[in-house]
Amino acid sequence: MKLITSFAVAALLASSVCAAPTKRAAITDADILQYALTLEHLENVFYKQALGKFPLSAFVAAGFSESYYNNLKFVVHDEEDHVNLLTKALTLAGAKPVAACEYSFPYTDVKSFITLSSVLEGVGTSAYLGGAGLIASKDYLGVAASILVTEALHTSLQREAAGEVAAANPYGTGLGLNAVFTLAATFIKSCPTTNAALPVKAFPGLVVSQGSPAAPGIPLTLTAKGSIPSGAFVVFVNGLNTTTVSPTQNSGSVITANIPNTVSGQTYVFVTTSKPATTIQDSLVAFGPAIIEVTPPSPTFDLTVQ
């Protein structure tokens, strides 16, 4: 068996970054590396701050096992390794890696930390899945897929710990660069001025104001950071489904729509200026995404099918 060290992988990524882009001119693989490193820094700091604040005894007192705490330490190890790998790759490519920012994470105890971690891991998984189509280098795509698998394992661990169904959807949910950055930016207070500018922008914010816990068929009310245009739609993105719903109310910065039965698990909700044909284009997004958690129905399967 051939073993590949993280330094060798970093060198491989660096050579991919240096190669001329073959698919696009606007966003390069170096941009993708910097973007991924920005997200990995956030997760790395998030977990290290939490484990620095809450010892094993705090987790046990909150009802979590020592085994879970030990698994959590492996998650921290993974996130640090992702940061180191991407940092090496950018350095070897002659680029200055972005540094960690200053963050604010809204958890107050072990349980709220775990709930937030399940959401963040879901966003991280969606980021790697959604960014895959932008990668020119097949070598880098393979490494990104490897990280995606690890992020998905983290997501399942944290979802189960948070009392959610670990695998609530047969398919992962991909998110575009701007949508992910919109969510990440809510935790970023400031970044070093020396950090390279990322080819992303945050959409205007959108939050859930009523309808949680969420379930198919119930009204979901959202409040936007701005006036919602008339004729807007509410779009739910989950797994392979993008479901557009006409609002039952649209007044000022508040919009309400019924949650469709096509969603389960962590779901991203947007307000768009017009109805997307299939997937959401950035040009259509007025606000969002907001995040809701939809408990899936009982699983069904046919035991006669082999």
Side-chain angles (χ1 to χ4, degrees):
M1 177 182 294
K2 183 179 180 181
L3 299 178
I4 303 178
T5 66
S6 62
F7 185 84
V9 173
L12 179 146
L13 294 186
S15 65
S16 299
V17 169
C18 293
T22 58
K23 294 185 179 180
R24 59 197 133 67
I27 298 178
T28 68
D29 282 355
D31 294 327
I32 298 297
L33 286 179
Q34 296 281 30
Y35 170 81
L37 180 56
T38 298
L39 301 179
E40 294 291 354
H41 273 312
L42 187 151
E43 288 186 307
N44 186 41
V45 173
F46 170 71
Y47 280 112
K48 287 181 177 178
Q49 284 184 356
L51 263 67
K53 182 176 182 179
F54 304 124
L56 170 60
S57 58
F59 283 86
V60 173
F64 298 94
S65 67
E66 184 174 353
S67 175
Y68 168 74
Y69 182 79
N70 287 334
N71 275 319
L72 199 57
K73 291 191 290 184
F74 279 99
V75 172
V76 181
H77 168 268
D78 293 345
E79 302 299 356
E80 181 180 275
D81 204 75
H82 295 166
V83 168
N84 291 338
L85 174 66
L86 295 170
T87 298
K88 288 176 184 176
L90 285 160
T91 300
L92 289 172
K96 182 178 180 180
V98 294
C101 299
E102 183 180 354
Y103 310 98
S104 177
F105 300 111
Y107 61 82
T108 56
D109 54 23
V110 167
K111 289 187 177 180
S112 60
F113 154 70
I114 291 173
T115 298
L116 181 57
S117 70
S118 72
V119 174
L120 284 180
E121 288 292 357
V123 172
T125 303
S126 293
Y128 276 97
L129 183 58
L134 299 174
I135 298 171
S137 163
K138 290 184 178 180
D139 291 329
Y140 178 43
L141 181 60
V143 175
S146 178
I147 296 176
L148 168 61
V149 171
T150 303
E151 296 292 349
L153 291 171
H154 295 172
T155 300
S156 292
L157 174 71
Q158 300 300 68
R159 285 182 59 81
E160 184 175 17
E164 299 160 350
V165 176
N169 195 299
Y171 306 100
T173 304
L175 274 185
L177 302 186
N178 289 335
V180 171
F181 184 73
T182 300
L183 296 170
T186 62
F187 305 107
I188 299 175
K189 295 175 64 177
S190 64
C191 292
T193 57
T194 53
N195 276 4
L198 298 175
V200 293
K201 66 174 183 178
F203 297 124
L206 186 70
V207 297
V208 176
S209 50
Q210 188 175 356
S212 182
I218 73 167
L220 177 71
T221 300
L222 303 152
T223 301
K225 291 187 176 179
S227 181
I228 299 174
S230 61
F233 292 88
V234 180
V235 182
F236 297 80
V237 178
N238 178 253
L240 300 180
N241 295 317
T242 299
T243 307
T244 303
V245 178
S246 297
T248 57
Q249 174 193 357
N250 182 359
S251 177
S253 61
V254 178
I255 192 167
T256 301
N258 292 330
I259 299 173
N261 60 8
T262 55
V263 301
S264 61
Q266 185 160 308
T267 301
Y268 305 102
V269 189
F270 297 82
V271 172
T272 62
T273 54
S274 60
K275 185 176 182 178
T278 51
T279 58
I280 295 182
Q281 302 297 316
D282 284 353
S283 60
L284 300 182
V285 176
F287 301 95
I291 299 178
I292 61 173
E293 176 64 32
V294 181
T295 302
S298 298
T300 59
F301 43 87
D302 187 352
L303 291 176
T304 66
V305 177
Q306 302 296 326

